Amino acid sequence: MAFLDEALAFEPVLIVSADRRSRQLMRTIFDTWSVPADEAVDTLDAAEKLLFRNPHSAVICDESLPSGTANDLFRLLQWQGMEMPFVVTSETPWFRLPRSPSLRVLEKPVNSDLLWEILDDLMEGALARYQHTLDVRDAAEWSCRRMIPSNEPFLL
């Protein structure tokens, strides 16, 4: 029962994608890791959820969205003083974003093991910096989790 209580205390990861199937696939991956996930369909929906609703531990965002780009959302969060782990899924390997210790680009198709490694690295970095909106207990709990290994890529 303690594990369930801990999972409920963990803030959700926000999955931002215009494609419903992609959001569901990502949510399934997070469910297997016992990490709660929330969904947004575009940058406006994501901004509303991040700025005015429940806090989130991290953001997984498609490179381009109907109402803007991942870059737009990331810059908005920076402008608001919110630093949290932010992963951009990109179809183009040359896609560039501003340099930031809280930001990573992950090429599609996304491999769940690589996604886990990136998020784990970002969470540990956020915990080490203490300059973030991520709750310290979220980063600590994330680092204590162990995922079920799987080298199966899934398409976003």
Side-chain angles (χ1 to χ4, degrees):
M1 191 65 173
F3 181 77
L4 181 59
D5 293 339
E6 289 175 13
L8 292 174
F10 190 73
E11 301 298 344
V13 172
L14 182 62
I15 302 165
V16 187
S17 175
D19 181 39
R20 186 176 65 89
R21 182 176 176 274
S22 294
R23 291 191 314 271
Q24 289 176 339
L25 283 170
M26 287 291 273
R27 192 173 197 129
T28 300
I29 293 297
F30 283 102
D31 285 346
T32 65
W33 296 339
S34 298
V35 173
D38 191 9
E39 300 176 19
V41 296
D42 58 22
T43 53
L44 296 175
D45 187 24
E48 180 183 337
K49 288 182 178 186
L50 290 166
L51 299 175
F52 304 113
R53 294 193 189 168
N54 296 329
H56 292 80
S57 296
V59 177
I60 312 294
C61 186
D62 279 349
E63 166 187 3
S64 57
L65 299 158
S67 62
T69 66
N71 193 16
D72 297 333
L73 182 59
F74 182 73
R75 288 184 187 276
L76 173 69
L77 294 178
Q78 281 187 317
W79 184 68
Q80 290 293 319
M82 297 176 71
E83 184 178 337
M84 66 180 61
F86 198 104
V87 179
V88 177
T89 58
S90 172
E91 293 180 4
T92 53
W94 50 267
F95 183 67
R96 302 266 181 192
L97 281 173
R99 287 184 176 239
S100 170
S102 62
L103 179 68
R104 298 287 189 288
V105 176
L106 183 61
E107 276 187 65
K108 292 181 181 180
V110 175
N111 178 293
S112 59
D113 287 345
L114 186 55
L115 176 62
W116 177 267
E117 288 176 24
I118 287 172
L119 284 171
D120 192 37
D121 180 51
L122 288 171
M123 290 288 189
E124 285 180 10
L127 183 60
R129 284 190 307 276
Y130 288 103
Q131 298 173 350
H132 51 76
T133 56
L134 172 69
D135 191 322
V136 170
R137 75 174 172 220
D138 287 346
E141 181 171 330
W142 179 274
S143 296
C144 291
R145 292 177 185 273
R146 293 293 173 252
M147 63 170 247
I148 299 168
S150 127
N151 289 321
E152 295 297 317
F154 58 96
L155 298 174
L156 293 178

